[in-house]
Amino acid sequence: MTALAFPEFKLAHLDSENELVNVILKRWADARSGQPTVEVLPPGIDVATWKIILSKFLEILGEKGVIVGDDHKLQYLDIFSLAENEDQVRGSPCALRPTTVEQIQAILKVANEYKTPVWTVSRGKNLGYGANSGRILGSIIIDLQDMDKVIEINDKYNYYTVEPGVSFFKLYQTIKEQKKAIWSSCPALGWGSVVGNSLDRGWGYTPKGDHSNQICGIEAVLADGTLIRTGMGAINDSKLWPLFRGGYGPTYDSMFSQSNFGIVTKMTLWASPAPLGFKSCHIAVPKETDLTQLVDIFRSLLQHEVIQNHPVIGNILREIGKRGTRAEWWSGEGAIPDWRLDEIAKEHNLSWWDANFGLYGPQELIDFNYRRCEAAFAAIPGAKLRGNAYYPAEGESHLDAAAVPYEDSWMQTGVPSMAPIVSIQYRGLDGGHISFSPVVPADGKAALDWYFEAKKICADFGFDFVAGLHLYERHLAHIIMIYFDRQDQADKNAANALFVELVLKARAAGYGEYRAHIDHMDLVADQYDFGAADEGAGGVPALMRMNQRIKDELDPNGILSPGKQGIWPKRFRGEGAKTRGTEIRVTKNGEVEEVRNGVEAVQV
């Protein structure tokens, strides 16, 4: 049997991070090498027709742009899938890697001709949400990672314009090479796409870290091949496309967020100017119930612009996950009990909750705002606030992000990293995760009430509540990292059951998720139920009915990412969405084991 291997990872700035990622990639490749090869065809396409389609793709892209065989087997699946037979429920026949808009248009022309569904990924690093896998068995993956031009970095107006294949590492490196006085914004893992993260409402940790709200101008290809530009980009040779969102008439930038209405090929994001100083701040509070005051104080500091970036609040379980596997802390069954967490806190000088945030600006402003933070947090008994400040080197006009040590920046300077990937090993060395991502009010009591309810639900299913609470002026993304052992199907089944229960209980509390794994997109979409009881609605909520009407108008053949965020085109809705008639061919050691028709991965 062929041993599979990922290309060596070497994007990170620290050798230790590259080594860590390569160890994990080898673990994934070794696990995949022992599995049968599963070949699938697009829905309704026979072998002879597929050969014709494949030849057309080869003509458009060349051999390097059409990924099949071992490379496809290894790279194009959801590495954190909860399904036991991922490639037999969501496998794809091939992946396509275009480098130009014209190639995308040519691909869509073929897809429309044969009505073959395609699923678009920017770089395929959206771990915990589906990665490189589509929703329909037999979907052709359009992978945009080779469209990786950094088109412009502008430090006069503070923006960058990029193609979807640009990673956060590449963006940061390009800023350094061009010596621009601008700080990028990056999420926890820097290998992902700047565009893809923004479209999926991801975030970074600088003052412009709410990425989806920093979008100013999108270029996209619609299903029929039409190339459109939003906002001021609708004017030929516009000088204002990256500067003014509004344009004239309806604004469509957000129409392409978490949707399947087009393929985004360029995007501009507003960013932060390189500041005159930065202070990395950390606050720790000793009691579980201190979350109420912590959230309320942070909200006030944000609203009064004392703090410029969003704080990230973690609990003790989040901290110990950075330091080792769960088995190193607890060998018993079920969730780690509170008494043991109290012991760990005393043994390792940890707190129940802590948070990182930053202060930006000249020294006099940072000093003033830090004193305001000290006064505010003094209201919490036992709270410990600390901070380290950094300022430009002599003769420099701004602070270089690289001058701040990584362990003190916590990505708040826009320097990308891969260090947090170590946490996937929490429940097993070959571990994975999905994220439960509800949004609650930025209110201390609401945050604590939901925390206690969700903590109990997690414990009922045998999981720890690992918190990453992202706080903004008016809302809080109350994220729970649900870790599981990839080699333990029972563990994955329990993780799935936990997620479903959390969705339903959050809805009962009046909350909904802002993001979901592909397994759960329909479930989460169903919670947005306003108008479902309208006469003639058939139980379909009003917003989803509007999404469906837009989808059917823009994509009558239903080829673009069917089912993304629960938006199904007409031909794949209802019962017709379940059976695809896709051929699956399973081989092991070169011998065909099984040929059968496949069934689409219905919501778990």
Side-chain angles (χ1 to χ4, degrees), residues 12-66:
H13 311 299
L14 300 177
D15 290 340
S16 59
E17 291 185 11
N18 288 322
E19 291 169 8
L20 169 65
V21 173
N22 283 314
V23 166
I24 291 171
L25 290 177
K26 184 178 187 305
R27 198 173 288 143
W28 294 348
D30 289 347
R32 189 70 174 143
S33 295
Q35 297 175 4
T37 297
V38 178
E39 299 173 270
V40 300
L41 296 176
I45 300 297
D46 59 27
V47 173
T49 306
W50 173 239
K51 288 180 179 179
I52 295 171
I53 295 171
L54 195 60
S55 69
K56 293 187 176 189
F57 289 148
L58 287 165
E59 185 177 345
I60 295 166
L61 300 172
E63 288 188 8
K64 288 186 178 180
V66 180

Side-chain angles (χ1 to χ4, degrees), residues 1-2 4 28-38 73 77 79 83-87 430 486-487 492 586-589 593:
M1 184 173 292
T2 304
L4 304 177
W28 294 348
D30 289 347
R32 189 70 174 143
S33 295
Q35 297 175 4
T37 297
V38 178
K73 174 183 176 179
L77 78 164
I79 203 71
E84 187 170 7
N85 53 342
E86 162 72 4
D87 44 11
D430 191 5
R486 288 197 331 122
Q487 299 304 318
K492 295 196 287 185
V586 182
T587 60
K588 194 167 186 177
N589 297 323
E593 290 190 339

